[in-house]
Amino acid sequence: MCGIAGWYRRGGRPVERDEIARQCGRMRNRGPDDSGYLTEGDFGFGMRRLSIIDVAGGHQPILSADGRYAIICNGEIVNHLELRAKIGAAYPFRTRSDVETLLAAFIRWGDEAWLHAEGMYAAAIWDRADRELRLVRDPLGIKPLFFSEQQGGIAFASEIPALRETPGFEFDVDERGIHDFFCFGHVLGPRSIFSQVRALPPGHILRIGATASAHIERYWAPQIRALEGRSDSQWIEETRARVLDTVRQHMISDVPVGAFLSGGIDSGAVAAGMTRATQRPVTVFTAGFPGSRIDETAAARRVADHLGCNHIVLPIEPRRAADILPLVQAAFDEPSAANSAIPLWYLSRAAAEHVKVVLCGEGGDELFLGYNRQRWAERMRRYAPLVRAAGNLQWLDRLGDLPTRKLNYLRDHATRFRDGTLLESGFERFFAAVSITSSSVRARIYNPDFWARHERGCTPAKRVSEAFGQEAAPGLAIEQFMLGDLTVHMPASLLQRLDRATMAHSLEARVPFLSRGFVDWALTIPTGLKLRGGVGKYVLRQAVKPWLPAVTLKGRKLGFQMPLADWFVGGFSDFAQEAWMSSGAADAGFLESSEINRLFDEHRRGLANHGRLLYAIAMFSCWWKDQRPTRREAQSAAQPQKQIALG
């Protein structure tokens, strides 16, 4: 695990070692143990290393035995020992590093190597003979990789701040990224918050030589191919074996390994698999919210006690969260309103005092239909004919303010459900479900010019076409929704928050459910084995039933979430509103300040639940303040065809 960066300046213009060192220096938190650089002519790259495997001998960059290729990599190849056995004597290994294994696999199989590797990786391979740079990102997008093509060259890095160290490069705020953020709480890849920066999409390769333009191609895509003709018991047994196998693979390490435990099925399955794969006690970490209805401390404790784990609990109070919010946002490249960023940041800090690696349950909900929003989408599809027959329930739009907070929240939920039934596909319902605002709310809060440039014409169908293209062909709604979660929301939001929160504290997070081979297999399980009787993750629940307490299997899905609706009624709301007013974001020309202040007031009075949006506004304000744009630059955002220069 590390942070990687580089610059292929091209045209014979030299790249200095100090320039690469400055890029990598911006990511020291990703790799405090070691650093390494290679520069030759108009190319250079380097890394900051968090030593996990082959602590003494895994220094990067690693050169091939013949000296032709050099590699740097951020991630872990969890099946690298199996790969070494397949490669055999065809490659003369000189280290025990999984990164050298990845390089040997590339030399052996070319770009087929990425389908042999299991784990997570963002890698750069430099062909010193042909002077060609190859960038590759793992199939699910577990590890980040950004690039910027400017001045005839290309720079790349694990984090955007490292790119901004590239001499002469400019970075302008992309209004489409701002629009994404206030729709979803994050920017949709491959777009970024800066117009000159893109994320390399998951499962893609970028190649660029000394003269031609960069070429990007896809080497893997998820495909749902349900297999029929097998009994429930066969699927359950195979699920149990597959979970145990992927967890065991992800425990490979030369340093201590722990796990995050929320008290749910996914993290419980991972922790249970770990206890079966090792003779040593497993240490697990839980974030708690004392007094909140979403606190899962007791549920996590039951699982930990049942498995015999060492259990470390970190209580999180609203006051402490408000104090730390600017530091949490500072760990991200872009504004991020991921709901669990604060508890994950805290939890990672606590875990880093005990271990260097944690295993996490991300991916279980996406693959096994565990989200409430997925089940609600299926209900929307079923009830759509009734809603249309009832005149689209237009009377909901005529309801004014109701006498209690609970009734107002219920009105909002009913309206959102009604709107979801009127959508055309599972893809459209996916985008509606992961939105933090509705179009009507954006019409309220957007500056009129900003609204005209970005919200007008931004239909659900257009979003689907941009994200899925030909993949948006008609199909079963729940499968479309699942693909949206797996390919859009997970890499852009869930995996970004996990990477930044953990790496802020030099902690490696691994996700056993997202090993490419496990994902390919999970997508062959029939939907009826995942969602049954209105309960998600049926086959996974049955598979881990012998491992976990009975009450855990019946528990509702919560995860490391924050009680936003409650927190933004009290002092946390005051902090967020002050951040909004003092950061300069209120004067940037994106949002109408008077309407934002009205949202805070409506939420405090219980007239509507704006918790998610207010949290997003607070995080955006912290990000905006950290960028420190000038007043002239901020004002230019309100003008058509203008951008905000931050470079």
Side-chain angles (χ1 to χ4, degrees):
M1 178 67 69
C2 65
I4 64 173
W7 185 19
Y8 193 5
R9 195 173 184 183
R10 305 205 302 176
R13 296 167 295 173
V15 173
E16 303 296 334
R17 183 182 184 279
D18 287 348
E19 293 167 338
I20 304 301
R22 280 195 296 271
Q23 289 181 328
C24 295
R26 290 294 298 269
M27 302 181 294
R28 192 179 190 283
N29 55 291
R30 299 186 72 91
D33 297 333
D34 189 17
S35 63
Y37 315 100
L38 181 150
T39 56
E40 47 186 31
D42 55 6
F43 174 81
F45 66 5
M47 49 75 70
R48 293 290 318 190
R49 184 182 179 216
L50 181 67
S51 304
I52 304 294
I53 294 176
D54 193 6
V55 173
H59 177 79
Q60 299 179 42
I62 293 178
L63 269 63
S64 60
D66 62 4
R68 174 173 177 173
Y69 298 100
I71 185 173
I72 53 175
C73 179
N74 168 30
E76 299 292 349
I77 311 304
V78 298
N79 69 330
H80 89 99
L81 295 180
E82 291 89 338
L83 289 180
R84 287 194 174 213
K86 290 181 180 179
I87 295 169
Y91 183 88
F93 289 100
R94 293 171 293 172
T95 75
R96 296 190 298 107
S97 170
D98 59 315
V99 175
E100 187 182 21
T101 305
L102 190 63
L103 178 60
F106 168 72
I107 293 171
R108 173 67 175 82
W109 294 299
D111 285 325
E112 290 295 316
W114 321 124
L115 296 176
H116 288 272
E118 295 285 1
M120 54 187 184
Y121 50 89
I125 295 178
W126 172 238
D127 183 339
R128 304 173 74 190
D130 291 343
R131 302 198 66 78
E132 181 182 68
L133 172 66
R134 178 181 268 95
L135 304 178
V136 60
R137 191 175 178 198
D138 66 65
L140 280 303
I142 304 169
K143 290 290 99 183
L145 188 57
F146 298 93
F147 67 94
S148 180
E149 295 182 85
Q150 298 189 48
Q151 300 180 353
I154 184 171
F156 66 91
S158 299
E159 296 184 2
I160 294 175
L163 286 179
R164 296 183 67 183
E165 291 293 328
T166 309
F169 275 31
E170 297 180 351
F171 299 86
D172 305 315
V173 167
D174 187 341
E175 285 194 353
R176 284 294 305 278
I178 299 292
H179 178 49
D180 282 351
F181 176 77
F182 285 110
C183 288
F184 305 107
H186 54 83
V187 181
L188 295 180
R191 189 163 42 244
S192 85
I193 200 66
F194 298 110
S195 59
Q196 295 91 347
V197 177
R198 294 177 62 198
L200 183 64
H204 281 68
I205 306 164
L206 180 153
R207 293 195 300 272
I208 184 169
T211 55
S213 300
H215 173 73
I216 298 177
E217 64 183 46
R218 193 171 195 168
Y219 68 86
W220 180 88
Q223 298 191 29
I224 299 175
R225 295 175 177 172
L227 298 178
E228 304 296 340
R230 304 183 65 187
S231 67
D232 285 11
S233 61
Q234 288 175 315
W235 278 116
I236 291 167
E237 288 297 325
E238 184 170 2
T239 300
R240 185 181 299 125
R242 294 265 187 172
V243 169
L244 184 58
D245 183 59
T246 189
V247 169
R248 182 182 290 112
Q249 269 196 334
H250 281 75
M251 291 183 69
I252 184 172
S253 174
D254 294 337
V255 297
V257 179
F260 285 163
L261 181 65
S262 69
I265 299 295
D266 303 334
S267 61
V270 170
M274 292 175 71
T275 63
R276 281 157 175 75
T278 181
Q279 300 299 315
R280 298 188 298 270
V282 174
T283 301
V284 295
F285 305 89
T286 299
F289 300 95
S292 169
R293 68 184 185 281
I294 69 169
D295 182 61
E296 288 192 297
T297 302
R301 183 175 295 113
R302 281 193 294 269
V303 174
D305 291 345
H306 183 82
L307 298 175
C309 297
N310 299 324
H311 192 204
I312 297 174
V313 178
L314 180 68
I316 298 176
E317 302 283 359
R319 175 184 57 83
R320 298 181 64 198
D323 291 341
I324 210 69
L325 192 149
L327 291 177
V328 173
Q329 177 55 63
F332 287 75
D333 311 298
E334 307 171 287
S336 173
N339 192 17
S340 63
I342 289 177
L344 275 175
W345 192 96
Y346 265 114
L347 199 58
S348 299
R349 186 174 69 173
E353 297 177 358
H354 301 270
V355 297
K356 257 190 169 182
V357 179
V358 288
L359 270 57
C360 309
E362 271 76 3
D365 287 310
E366 287 77 9
L367 293 173
F368 293 97
L369 296 177
Y371 285 124
N372 286 330
R373 63 173 180 254
Q374 294 164 334
R375 296 189 289 278
W376 277 107
E378 187 65 7
R379 295 184 186 109
M380 290 172 184
R381 182 188 64 81
R382 292 202 310 267
Y383 282 98
L386 294 177
V387 171
R388 292 188 174 94
N392 295 342
L393 302 181
Q394 293 182 1
W395 57 269
L396 282 171
D397 299 322
R398 296 190 293 270
L399 287 178
D401 296 337
L402 300 175
T404 67
R405 184 185 304 276
K406 185 175 182 180
L407 287 175
N408 284 313
Y409 286 9
L410 184 62
R411 174 205 60 204
D412 294 344
H413 281 301
T415 301
R416 189 161 184 161
F417 182 85
R418 184 275 312 271
D419 293 345
T421 64
L422 302 178
L423 295 172
E424 296 298 325
S425 69
F427 287 126
E428 290 188 10
R429 292 191 182 102
F430 157 74
F431 279 114
V434 297
S435 296
I436 63 171
T437 56
S438 64
S439 182
S440 61
V441 167
R442 294 192 292 275
R444 279 184 60 186
I445 67 174
Y446 276 9
N447 171 281
D449 291 334
F450 185 71
W451 181 89
R453 291 196 297 275
H454 300 292
E455 181 64 24
R456 179 188 292 165
C458 187
T459 64
K462 184 178 179 181
R463 282 283 190 193
V464 172
S465 177
E466 288 180 348
F468 298 101
Q470 295 302 314
E471 297 173 25
L476 297 176
I478 194 66
E479 283 80 6
Q480 291 178 332
F481 201 107
M482 180 169 61
L483 280 177
D485 266 322
L486 191 66
T487 63
V488 176
H489 190 252
M490 192 171 63
S493 179
L494 301 188
L495 294 175
Q496 290 284 337
R497 80 183 182 194
L498 182 65
D499 177 84
R500 300 310 191 278
T502 53
M503 294 309 296
H505 303 288
S506 305
L507 179 71
E508 177 177 297
R510 299 180 183 175
V511 280
F513 287 127
L514 295 181
S515 182
R516 193 266 316 158
F518 187 88
V519 171
D520 282 341
W521 167 80
L523 294 180
T524 68
I525 303 175
T527 300
L529 266 295
K530 298 176 181 180
L531 184 61
R532 177 169 294 187
V535 178
K537 294 191 282 198
Y538 170 78
V539 69
L540 182 62
R541 290 174 189 271
Q542 295 302 310
V544 301
K545 187 175 182 179
W547 297 353
L548 300 175
V551 66
T552 301
L553 300 170
K554 301 176 183 178
R556 60 194 180 104
K557 168 70 180 178
L558 292 175
F560 296 130
Q561 300 181 49
M562 293 196 307
L564 294 176
D566 298 338
W567 285 14
F568 276 97
V569 173
F572 198 61
S573 178
D574 296 335
F575 168 84
Q577 192 165 16
E578 171 59 26
W580 160 249
M581 296 302 297
S582 65
S583 66
D587 302 318
F590 304 123
L591 308 182
E592 290 289 280
S593 188
S594 60
E595 287 296 329
I596 299 302
N597 290 329
R598 193 169 289 119
L599 293 182
F600 278 101
D601 181 64
E602 289 174 357
H603 189 87
R604 290 190 186 100
R605 294 166 57 197
L607 301 180
N609 180 4
H610 298 307
R612 292 182 70 190
L613 175 55
L614 297 182
Y615 174 58
I617 289 168
M619 296 301 272
F620 180 80
S621 300
C622 292
W623 178 82
W624 186 262
K625 184 177 182 179
D626 188 56
Q627 302 309 308
R628 290 183 290 278
T630 66
R631 182 175 180 82
R632 178 187 61 79
E633 289 166 342
Q635 289 174 338
S636 72
Q639 305 301 320
Q641 307 303 319
K642 298 290 184 181
Q643 294 175 314
I644 304 162
L646 301 180

